[in-house]
Amino acid sequence: MRLARFEAEAGDGAAGGVARVGVVDGDEVAEVAEVAAPDDVNALLARGPEALAAAGEAALAGGARHPLAGVRLLAPVPKPSKFLAIGLNYLDHLEETGATRPEFPIFFNKQVSCVTGPHDPIHVPVVSGMVDYEGELGVVIGRRCRHVRAADAPGVVAGYLVVNDVSVRDWQFRSPTMTLGKSFDTHGPIGPWLVTPDDVPDPHALSIRTWVNGELMQDGTTADMLSDCWAQIELLSTVCTLEPGDIISTGTPAGVGVARDPQVFLRAGDVVRIEIEGIGAIENPVIDEPRP
Ligand code: MN
């Protein structure tokens, strides 16, 4: 099932500008009627996979339908309590950066305020011209959990989505935590929807590709992760309770702009597209940060 958040546009019989939750069915999206607060997808996920599947079935059977082409897709999980990400988790990316393989996985936080929609603009901040893309598979947690063994980790996953771990390289490397350089507003595009695990038989066998202005920049496979999704959930849940809606961004393959010769950084007017097999694609235009 593909679970989306969207705004219906004026003229289709519904008021525009109101967030809704729906299930994507072909070229339509069917509204999930029983969502009290469409911004609170976390609560829907927390009801568990069976309840989520039942809500999806009800939506497909009788929910109000909108043409997919006529809606604006929003971030599927707008308010995760945590947005964690792992660095240097693909061998080819490790090699392109010239780094040595870390002895311990490198996790960092993206501040949750950076979350934005699958087609929303990415800002080039006033303070930097070194904005880079990182196409990544995002894992969304579906159950409150702690101390999850890798073997049990698939059972705590609500679904998968595409993440652009947008990175401001000069700010990222000014501090060992990387947090500031990973957390500028608009630097966490996610989507285009959440795909539930029943439609993703193996998250470690998906092609992942990034284009900038139509030019293929990253062409990898999630099979090449050094620490797989399950190991990441085991490690993170050793430390902290994971909550429904939490996002784990699982690393990027080779081809990032900073490692190219010459280096490539995003500029206003660019368009970044990231596609993951079986999940979908997000495509974000780049603009200069609006002046206050
Ligand atoms: Mn990354």
Side-chain angles (χ1 to χ4, degrees), residues 212-259:
V212 176
N213 304 331
E215 183 180 346
L216 185 63
M217 306 299 267
Q218 294 187 282
D219 188 4
T221 164
T222 59
D224 289 344
M225 287 184 198
L226 297 174
S227 174
D228 70 16
C229 298
W230 318 141
Q232 293 183 47
I233 289 171
E234 178 173 293
L235 178 64
L236 291 170
S237 72
T238 300
V239 176
C240 56
T241 300
L242 299 176
E243 302 281 358
D246 283 357
I247 301 170
I248 303 169
S249 201
T250 58
T252 199
V256 298
V258 72

Side-chain angles (χ1 to χ4, degrees), residues 85-88 93 108 110 134-136 165-167 169 182 249-252:
I86 188 170
L88 300 177
H93 175 55
F108 56 89
K110 288 175 80 71
E134 293 189 352
E136 309 200 1
D165 176 20
V166 180
S167 305
R169 298 302 186 190
K182 293 285 192 175
S249 201
T250 58
T252 199

